[in-house]
């Protein structure tokens, strides 16, 4: 046999763990975590999981350091920390969705979605969330009509025109409004209602929701506009196109996918607010299609009222979970729509 046919391992390539080693370490860590939990008398499965996660990180580092060296072991332990953090974040979310679906499907049907409570008592079976669904759609829709244009135009000003003290002041107040509690927005609108001696009505809740929506739209739109290359603006201006037309025909169409996603996320953020609606809309078991007159209901308020009155009444408890599932479905649909629009309007990278 020729010596040229013999392949010698490269001196630069050290020993590596097999591809199945992470799964083996995960399995061993879970087994040891369960054993330690049983021996230690730990009743909480969460404690078992945390012990297993710690054992997985320590075991990955120890085995990788022995086989591959400390440098590669540090890389593996960083990867392990990322995976553990991801699992810790996902487990509560999956648990929440599972519990909501398993309990919400008990009464969630066409009757529930097409009927309101009316004269049905909270302790009685029947009734539905139709009035709450109509109220949420109208209030969130009006808030979007008010908040989205103002937020987008504010972001355009900050990115394209904003210079000096006024821009800094606007940026500061947008940052402040981003962290404002929802109850503060509700109290602000409530004070105006008391000054003008007005009764609760749906549009008042829309105004409070618009206040909460605007800073989210401003921040997301501002970041999207900053991603537009300056070369596009300069090319348009070099052709003699006015700046306002450049923004309208070049900048906004280029970033419309990200802007739409930000607006959808802002809608999803305000759709679950309860405090402003509780103060300003007041709740109504009957159908009220006019948001400018009379009290209305909404899904978050309906959930709160049904759960608050569910003591000894399984019917109200089931309706609260069904309305929660409806609200989650509404938010998920909005996010799917936002992703679809963002992908549809994304700049084409193909040749």
């Amino acid at each position: 046999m020729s010596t040229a046919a013999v392949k010698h391992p490269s001196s630069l390539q050290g020993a590596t763990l097999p591809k199945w080693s992470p799964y083996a370490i995960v399995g061993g860590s879970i087994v040891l975590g369960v054993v330690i939990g049983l021996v230690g008398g730990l009743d909480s499965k969460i404690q078992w999981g945390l012990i297993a996660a710690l054992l997985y990180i320590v075991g990955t580092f120890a085995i990788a350091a022995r086989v591959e060296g400390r440098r590669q072991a540090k890389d593996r332990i960083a990867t392990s920390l990322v995976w553990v953090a991801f699992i810790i974040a996902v487990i509560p979310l999956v648990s929440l969705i599972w519990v909501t679906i398993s309990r919400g499907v008990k009464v969630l049907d066409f009757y529930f979605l097409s009927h309101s409570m009316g004269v049905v008592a909270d302790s009685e079976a029947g009734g539905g969330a139709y009035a709450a669904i109509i109220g949420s759609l109208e209030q969130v829709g009006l808030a979007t009509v008010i908040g989205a244009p103002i937020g987008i135009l504010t972001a355009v000003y900050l990115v394209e025109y904003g210079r000096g003290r006024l821009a800094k002041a606007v940026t500061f107040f947008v940052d402040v409004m981003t962290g404002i509690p929802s109850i503060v927005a509700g109290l602000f609108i409530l004070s105006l209602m008391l000054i003008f001696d007005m009764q609760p009505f749906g549009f008042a809740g829309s105004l409070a929701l618009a206040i909460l929506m605007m800073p989210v739209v401003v921040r997301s739109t501002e970041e999207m506009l900053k991603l537009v290359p300056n070369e596009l603006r300069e090319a348009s201006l070099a052709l003699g196109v006015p700046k306002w037309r450049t923004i309208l025909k070049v900048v906004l169409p280029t970033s419309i996918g990200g802007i739409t996603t930000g607006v959808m996320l802002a809608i999803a953020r305000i759709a679950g607010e309860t405090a402003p609606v509780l103060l300003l809309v007041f709740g109504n078991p009957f159908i009220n299609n006019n948001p400018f007159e009379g009290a209305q209901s909404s899904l978050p308020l309906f959930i709160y009222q049904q759960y608050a009155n569910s003591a000894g009444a399984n019917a109200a408890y089931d309706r609260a979970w069904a309305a929660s599932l409806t609200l989650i479905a509404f938010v998920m649909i909005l996010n799917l729509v936002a992703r679809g629009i963002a992908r549809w309007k994304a700049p084409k990278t193909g040749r």
Side-chain angles (χ1 to χ4, degrees):
M1 181 181 296
S2 174
T3 57
V6 179
K7 294 183 178 180
H8 298 283
S10 175
S11 59
L12 297 177
Q13 182 178 2
T16 58
L17 292 173
K19 293 183 178 180
W20 50 263
S21 60
Y23 304 102
I25 297 174
V26 169
S29 301
I30 293 175
V31 172
L32 287 177
V34 173
V35 171
I36 293 174
L38 293 174
V39 173
L42 302 176
D43 298 329
S44 175
K45 303 298 189 298
I46 297 178
Q47 294 175 326
W48 296 7
L50 293 176
I51 293 174
L54 181 61
L55 291 175
Y56 170 69
I57 295 173
V58 174
T60 299
F61 179 78
I63 296 174
R66 184 173 182 83
V67 177
E68 300 176 330
R70 294 183 63 86
R71 183 175 182 178
Q72 187 65 22
K74 293 179 181 179
D75 178 74
R76 287 188 176 273
I77 197 173
T79 305
S80 302
L81 288 172
V82 171
W83 276 104
V84 169
F86 168 74
I87 293 174
I88 292 176
V90 165
I91 287 177
L93 177 62
V94 174
S95 176
L96 173 63
I97 295 176
W98 172 256
V99 172
T100 305
I101 293 176
S102 61
R103 295 185 177 181
V105 295
K106 293 181 179 179
V107 296
L108 183 60
D109 51 17
F110 181 76
Y111 178 87
F112 178 81
L113 298 176
S114 59
H115 288 74
S116 61
M117 293 300 295
V119 295
V120 179
D122 293 328
S123 59
E124 298 176 354
Y130 178 76
I133 295 173
I134 294 297
S136 285
L137 291 176
E138 291 181 348
Q139 294 158 27
V140 173
L142 289 172
T144 304
V145 171
I146 297 171
I150 295 177
I152 293 174
L153 292 175
T154 303
V156 170
Y157 165 74
L158 291 176
V159 176
E160 304 295 337
Y161 297 98
R163 301 291 185 275
R165 295 182 178 180
L166 179 59
K168 292 181 180 179
V170 173
T171 302
F172 172 76
F173 283 110
V174 168
D175 292 337
V176 172
M177 289 179 63
T178 302
I180 189 173
S182 60
I183 190 67
V184 176
L187 288 173
F188 172 71
I189 302 299
L190 179 62
S191 64
L192 297 179
M193 292 174 60
L194 294 176
I195 292 175
F196 294 101
D197 194 21
M198 303 172 68
Q199 298 298 318
F201 61 110
F203 185 66
S206 298
L207 293 175
L209 295 179
I211 294 175
L212 299 174
M213 181 183 186
M214 281 187 286
V216 180
V217 176
V218 172
R219 274 286 162 257
S220 59
T221 303
E222 187 178 0
E223 296 302 322
M224 290 300 104
L225 294 178
K226 289 180 180 178
L227 293 178
V228 178
N230 285 327
E231 288 79 4
L232 295 177
R233 298 181 176 88
E234 294 170 356
S236 178
L237 295 173
L239 294 174
V241 180
K243 187 171 184 178
W244 69 267
R245 195 171 182 83
T246 299
I247 296 171
L248 188 63
K249 295 295 184 179
V250 177
V251 177
L252 289 178
T254 304
S255 57
I256 190 63
I259 293 174
T260 305
T261 302
V263 172
M264 291 293 181
L265 294 177
I267 294 173
R269 182 248 192 270
I270 65 173
E273 290 293 344
T274 307
V277 179
L278 180 62
L279 287 174
L280 306 172
V281 180
F282 203 69
N284 189 351
F286 297 94
I287 300 173
N288 180 13
N289 294 323
N290 185 3
F292 299 98
E293 183 179 359
Q296 272 191 321
S297 184
S298 71
L299 280 173
L301 182 58
F302 179 84
I303 295 168
Y304 168 76
Q305 291 174 336
Q306 292 298 310
Y307 186 80
N309 299 325
S310 63
N314 292 329
Y317 191 71
D318 292 338
R319 284 193 295 265
W321 280 109
S324 301
L325 182 57
T326 304
L327 183 59
I328 290 178
F330 174 68
V331 173
M332 290 181 65
I333 291 173
L334 283 179
N335 280 274
L336 291 176
V337 170
R339 289 180 177 273
I341 294 176
R343 182 171 297 183
W344 174 43
K345 292 294 185 178
K348 304 298 185 292
T349 57
R351 299 181 64 180

